[in-house]
Amino acid sequence: MLKISNLHASVEDKKILKGIDLQVNAGEVHAIMGPNGSGKSTLAQVLAGRDAYEVTEGSVEFLGQDLLEMAPEERAREGLFLAFQYPVEIPGVSNAYFLRSAVNAVRKHRGEPELDAIQFGKYIREKMKLLDLDPSLLNRSVNEGFSGGEKKRNEIFHMAVMEPKLCVLDETDSGLDIDALKIVADGVNALRSPDRGILVVTHYQRLLNYIVPDFVHVLVDGRIVKSGDKNLALELEEKGYGWLEAEAAARA
Amino acid sequence: MSNEILEQFANREYKWGFVSDVESESLPPGLNEEVVRIISEKKGEPEWMLEWRLRALRHLARMQEPTWHNVRYAPVDLQSIVYYSAPKRRPKLNSLEEADPELLRTFEKLGIPLEEQKILAGVAVDAVFDSVSVATTFKEKLASLGIVFCSMSEAIREHPDLVRQYLGSVVPYSDNYYATLNSAVFSDGSFVYVPKGVRCPMELSTYFRINAENTGQFERTLIVADEGAYVSYLEGCTAPMRDENQLHAAVVELVALDGATIKYSTVQNWYPGDKDGNGGIYNFVTKRGRAMRDAKITWTQVETGSAITWKYPSVILQGDNSVGEFYSVALTANRQQADTGTKMVHIGKNTKSTIVSKGISAGFGQNTYRGLVRVNPGADYARNYSQCDSMLMGDKCGAHTFPYIDVRNPTAIVEHEASTSKIGEDQIFYCNQRGISTEDAVNMIVSGFCKEVFRELPMEFAVEAQRLLGVSLEGSVG
Ligand SMILES: Nc1ncnc2c1ncn2[C@@H]1O[C@H](COP(=O)(O)OP(=O)(O)OP(=O)(O)O)[C@@H](O)[C@H]1O
Ligand SMILES: [Mg+2]
């Protein structure tokens, strides 16, 4: 469903992604790991369409369409979801209202009738259970005053509500205590399905104990330097990134 | 313009003479005693009213056009303005198809019902929408409670004692340049009187007042809530008001007697001029209320129109335990300029005031908050809380805050909070990533920013105000 070919991207003339190739099929879970500053968030943001990043080369195909040609909101409506590393606060806009606008934007795009407040209320109550979310977070302003963990959980809640086709999770595990980590992982696992692709960006192997990936890729300095199965993550946990960075440097 | 010229004009004989011809719709431009006499005469006003107008005119000759505010515009030439035109109806259209398509598009975006669109666009509606009978039922109901709600002209004729007692009691004719001008030449406006202990059962809105069309550029409104009375008044309407009159100088006076409550809500959307700032309306308004013992006055305003807005709805907290509130959203886009805020003058003991001001600037808009909180020596235990938030969209606009605080009583507590934020690209992107279009995202973020003010508006008004902000901001974020 997602095919990234030779993707190069830069920000303010600084080259960050230097030729990424990656294919994610429906039903698969891919993990992307790598040291700080290697370009993981950049990849996620480029996929979502953040215009601060300039794609200088390469292509991305999403469900048979040219992803890079689509506006960010179109990508979202077509089923691409990004759980942000740093979720954004929107003061004065309730989480519930925000989500209803989001869901209705997608429904409208698909030619489905929009949900009114009551229908939507019913719909999200089911989803809340999944994430064990404090109901008061629904009426509070989007992410405003949420704890770090609450923000991350809220992202997964958004994801569950929007039922995307491709989920991109950027460092969703950082800032979570172990219980929250399990809840988030359960939420993600519940969304695993044969017709949904998942791309998990993470630093630590820890999350991958709970969300077991089919493939693991290591990003160093804007390139995928190694791919493997879940055992690669264990190896990284043991040895760190140093040896891969050295290899990459030697090759460059 | 200089005093000298004004005085010269004021003293000069009116060379066109008295226009008594009924066919003649309006006077030639110019301001002098004769003009004021004609206005008063045409309206069939009693002698005391004319005297009052003339005192104002004479006072005006000794005043200077104010320059202390933070807005820029070409000087207003008072001699080039027409001060009287007979209740001129806008040209009646036969159907909506004849109306300006741009106006219709705006109506549609605002979600204004078809019948209302017709009235606003000036389509002859008598046959379709019986506004007269709606207004009549409405009036009967109010009359049964002893509530007076009519045009100022009618009030001067029908309720002279009330008008005489309260007109100018809060904003005297000598108050300030534009209020003085208004006192001399005011065209019409609304008058409300709610008797002792009566709670007005519905929101009063000019919309229901027959004759509300074309109240003119010098509007004068007076609302009196007698002891223990309650009234909520809505000014204006959210449709774009096209008007050839460039200068609007209105005066609104509120009198809340012991234990009374007045809520005054405004949504103002006059023509702001084109993208380059040509042709917009200058809106110079004096609004003030006096709250007696245990009384409460709340001003809520959403200002999105006019090229230049200059207005400070204020409360004189005269009686002990009186309460004054000011909730404001002011938006300036394109070349619009707004200098607005409030004055809370604490005179009575245990008086309380709250100020919540939200300024939004986009394009080249300049938004100034100017507020005064004064606590007089006798105002023991007075309290004020002020919050001024500004939101900037883009980097060519500006937000300015001038809070003046003058406390002369040691027991007073005055708090002031201020913030400035930029509508974030990251906020918009976050919304986009959830499928929400940039336009809807901006609306949502701005509405969220204004929530504390919208909450104070009557329900339907709040919904309209929210839509209006959206329409006004269209294209502000690319
Ligand atoms: N908007 C920006 N302006 C300038 N530099 C940027 C910008 N965004 C990212 N960068 C730089 O690009 C590089 C890659 O950043 P990115 O956020 O993609 O890394 P990451 O792999 O997600 O790191 P982390 O593990 O710390 O989250 C970093 O050197 C970062 O400083
Ligand atoms: Mg990152």
Side-chain angles (χ1 to χ4, degrees):
Chain A
M1 67 168 41
L2 181 75
K3 190 166 186 289
I4 305 174
S5 314
N6 190 31
L7 184 67
H8 288 66
S10 45
V11 60
E12 289 164 8
D13 291 331
K14 182 179 169 198
K15 288 183 179 144
I16 299 173
L17 301 183
K18 303 170 180 171
I20 305 263
D21 292 288
L22 180 67
Q23 180 157 353
V24 178
N25 297 312
E28 295 175 353
V29 176
H30 291 245
I32 296 196
M33 303 182 72
N36 289 129
S38 56
K40 304 183 298 294
S41 293
T42 303
L43 176 62
Q45 299 270 329
V46 167
L47 291 177
R50 182 98 201 209
D51 69 359
Y53 300 92
E54 195 194 348
V55 175
T56 51
E57 218 183 311
S59 65
V60 181
E61 197 184 294
F62 176 56
L63 297 167
Q65 298 187 66
D66 182 352
L67 186 76
L68 301 178
E69 280 299 304
M70 296 156 74
E73 60 270 29
E74 279 177 72
R75 302 179 193 201
R77 291 171 195 164
E78 286 290 330
L80 187 147
F81 183 93
L82 171 64
F84 285 61
Q85 181 170 5
Y86 304 107
V88 178
E89 300 185 359
I90 308 180
V93 177
S94 81
N95 209 14
Y97 181 81
F98 176 81
L99 268 179
R100 183 154 73 91
S101 308
V103 166
N104 281 336
V106 175
R107 293 179 67 94
K108 205 167 148 192
H109 178 70
R110 293 192 192 134
E112 294 167 5
E114 297 184 19
L115 299 179
D116 63 27
I118 296 167
Q119 293 166 319
F120 184 72
K122 260 190 210 149
Y123 172 69
I124 52 175
R125 233 162 290 139
E126 293 302 306
K127 303 285 180 181
M128 301 258 314
K129 287 185 199 145
L130 197 68
L131 266 289
D132 194 24
L133 208 65
D134 180 350
S136 75
L137 294 187
L138 271 183
N139 298 320
R140 278 169 56 185
S141 297
V142 180
N143 291 320
E144 196 185 31
F146 286 24
S147 74
E150 282 168 342
K151 282 184 183 171
K152 294 303 175 78
R153 244 194 278 182
N154 193 37
E155 289 294 286
I156 304 303
F157 173 58
H158 284 190
M159 187 165 98
V161 169
M162 303 217 35
E163 299 182 335
K165 300 198 178 88
L166 177 69
C167 310
V168 181
L169 287 75
D170 191 2
E171 305 263 359
T172 301
D173 49 336
S174 61
L176 292 182
D177 60 34
I178 195 74
D179 294 330
L181 186 72
K182 271 190 213 150
I183 292 166
V184 163
D186 287 347
V188 176
N189 286 329
L191 286 171
R192 276 181 103 141
S193 100
D195 45 45
R196 182 172 287 138
I198 299 179
L199 190 60
V200 187
V201 171
T202 181
H203 240 68
Y204 302 107
Q205 193 272 333
R206 193 176 66 151
L207 178 68
L208 304 180
N209 288 335
Y210 300 98
I211 305 173
V212 181
D214 302 304
F215 303 92
V216 175
H217 312 277
V218 184
L219 193 63
V220 173
D221 191 24
R223 288 186 190 88
I224 291 178
V225 296
K226 202 166 181 66
S227 295
D229 61 10
K230 62 178 190 229
N231 293 317
L232 177 58
L234 292 169
E235 199 179 339
L236 288 169
E237 179 80 349
E238 211 175 292
K239 299 204 234 166
Y241 293 111
W243 58 289
L244 286 173
E245 284 175 302
E247 264 179 38
R251 235 176 302 149
Chain B
M1 77 172 287
S2 81
N3 283 341
E4 214 176 302
I5 304 177
L6 186 64
E7 226 160 320
Q8 202 181 315
F9 272 97
N11 297 331
R12 194 176 60 170
E13 210 171 318
Y14 193 46
K15 72 172 179 193
W16 296 282
F18 183 72
V19 182
S20 57
D21 184 0
V22 257
E23 298 302 316
S24 159
E25 283 259 301
S26 51
L27 289 177
L31 178 61
N32 55 40
E33 210 169 299
E34 198 61 39
V35 166
V36 172
R37 284 181 191 281
I38 294 169
I39 294 171
S40 189
E41 165 115 20
K42 286 265 187 193
K43 292 175 163 293
E45 289 178 355
E47 189 60 27
W48 58 266
M49 194 67 253
L50 172 64
E51 277 308 313
W52 197 74
R53 287 177 181 274
L54 289 174
R55 277 201 298 275
L57 181 74
R58 284 172 206 135
H59 193 80
L60 183 68
R62 297 195 298 273
M63 295 175 102
Q64 299 270 9
E65 190 176 349
T67 51
W68 46 264
H69 39 59
N70 193 27
V71 298
R72 312 253 161 279
Y73 57 92
V76 176
D77 178 7
L78 295 189
Q79 296 303 347
S80 68
I81 293 171
V82 172
Y83 290 91
Y84 181 82
S85 17
K88 187 172 59 181
R89 307 251 151 190
R90 279 172 283 181
K92 283 284 178 201
L93 310 173
N94 293 316
S95 74
L96 264 185
E97 274 86 79
E98 293 175 25
D100 178 358
E102 198 191 322
L103 197 67
L104 294 181
R105 268 195 296 279
T106 313
F107 285 159
E108 197 159 311
K109 283 183 209 141
L110 288 169
I112 294 175
L114 212 61
E115 293 309 320
E116 284 180 41
Q117 290 190 20
K118 289 182 184 163
I119 296 175
L120 296 169
V123 174
V125 285
D126 309 349
V128 223
F129 181 78
D130 196 357
S131 61
V132 177
S133 83
V134 170
T136 312
T137 348
F138 189 75
K139 270 207 151 167
E140 274 166 11
K141 174 137 197 206
L142 293 179
S144 72
L145 293 164
I147 296 170
V148 180
F149 179 35
C150 61
S151 73
M152 185 58 92
S153 306
E154 190 181 333
I156 292 167
R157 290 189 305 266
E158 310 290 325
H159 307 277
D161 296 344
L162 280 173
V163 177
R164 211 172 167 178
Q165 185 177 355
Y166 292 107
L167 188 76
S169 70
V170 189
V171 181
Y173 68 78
S174 56
D175 194 78
N176 70 73
Y177 189 77
Y178 290 109
T180 301
L181 174 65
N182 173 289
S183 302
V185 301
F186 69 84
S187 30
D188 212 335
S190 300
F191 175 79
V192 177
Y193 172 78
V194 186
K196 261 184 206 173
V198 171
R199 188 183 168 90
C200 184
M202 49 194 93
E203 316 271 355
L204 294 184
S205 140
T206 40
Y207 185 66
F208 286 103
R209 215 190 61 214
I210 320 180
N211 251 338
E213 264 182 276
N214 256 328
T215 34
Q217 59 189 133
F218 301 105
E219 201 166 337
R220 182 107 201 173
T221 291
L222 172 60
I223 299 176
V224 181
D226 212 326
E227 291 170 22
Y230 168 94
V231 63
S232 168
Y233 184 88
L234 312 183
E235 177 199 277
C237 104
T238 57
M241 298 290 266
R242 293 285 162 110
D243 197 316
E244 310 85 67
N245 299 317
Q246 196 173 34
L247 173 68
H248 278 244
V251 172
V252 177
E253 293 178 276
L254 308 183
V255 179
L257 298 180
D258 291 357
T261 298
I262 302 178
K263 282 173 87 85
Y264 190 103
S265 313
T266 310
V267 174
Q268 185 265 115
N269 183 32
W270 278 334
Y271 186 53
D274 64 15
K275 270 204 156 30
D276 303 315
N278 300 318
I281 282 174
Y282 296 179
N283 190 24
F284 302 146
V285 187
T286 304
K287 289 182 164 175
R288 196 176 303 149
R290 187 189 301 282
M292 305 309 285
R293 197 160 44 80
D294 300 317
K296 179 176 176 182
I297 291 179
T298 303
W299 295 103
T300 307
Q301 58 172 26
V302 176
E303 302 278 326
T304 69
S306 299
I308 295 173
T309 302
W310 181 97
K311 115 183 214 194
Y312 316 90
S314 306
V315 184
I316 301 169
L317 298 150
Q318 175 124 21
D320 293 350
N321 313 316
S322 57
V323 176
E325 294 176 332
F326 173 74
Y327 298 95
S328 166
V329 168
L331 176 144
T332 52
N334 296 325
R335 302 269 172 186
Q336 282 177 277
Q337 309 174 54
D339 192 315
T340 175
T342 184
K343 277 190 262 180
M344 294 291 175
V345 180
H346 293 257
I347 298 172
K349 296 184 190 2
N350 300 310
T351 46
K352 259 199 328 220
S353 63
T354 303
I355 299 172
V356 176
S357 160
K358 305 275 180 177
I360 302 158
S361 324
F364 294 90
Q366 293 294 328
N367 215 319
T368 300
Y369 169 81
R370 188 184 301 278
L372 168 70
V373 176
R374 192 162 91 210
V375 179
N376 281 8
D380 293 344
Y381 306 105
R383 291 205 60 150
N384 163 267
Y385 171 74
S386 303
Q387 182 191 333
C388 301
D389 299 323
S390 312
M391 179 178 266
L392 301 172
M393 302 171 75
D395 48 17
K396 297 194 179 62
C397 53
H400 318 271
T401 308
F402 301 104
Y404 303 101
I405 296 172
D406 177 6
V407 178
R408 302 177 184 189
N409 183 309
T411 59
I413 301 176
V414 173
E415 287 173 84
H416 181 88
E417 284 177 26
S419 79
T420 302
S421 56
K422 252 189 155 146
I423 193 162
E425 222 173 284
D426 50 349
Q427 284 176 323
I428 293 174
F429 180 66
Y430 189 70
C431 295
N432 286 161
Q433 213 303 302
R434 298 296 183 261
I436 299 165
S437 69
T438 299
E439 206 175 307
D440 290 347
V442 170
N443 284 350
M444 197 185 267
I445 295 164
V446 169
S447 300
F449 175 71
C450 301
K451 197 177 198 166
E452 290 140 292
V453 175
F454 287 168
R455 207 165 43 200
E456 296 297 322
L457 288 171
M459 183 64 177
E460 310 91 76
F461 228 40
V463 173
E464 281 185 60
Q466 206 155 328
R467 284 209 198 103
L468 181 61
L469 279 187
V471 172
S472 310
L473 280 173
E474 217 165 73
S476 292
V477 170

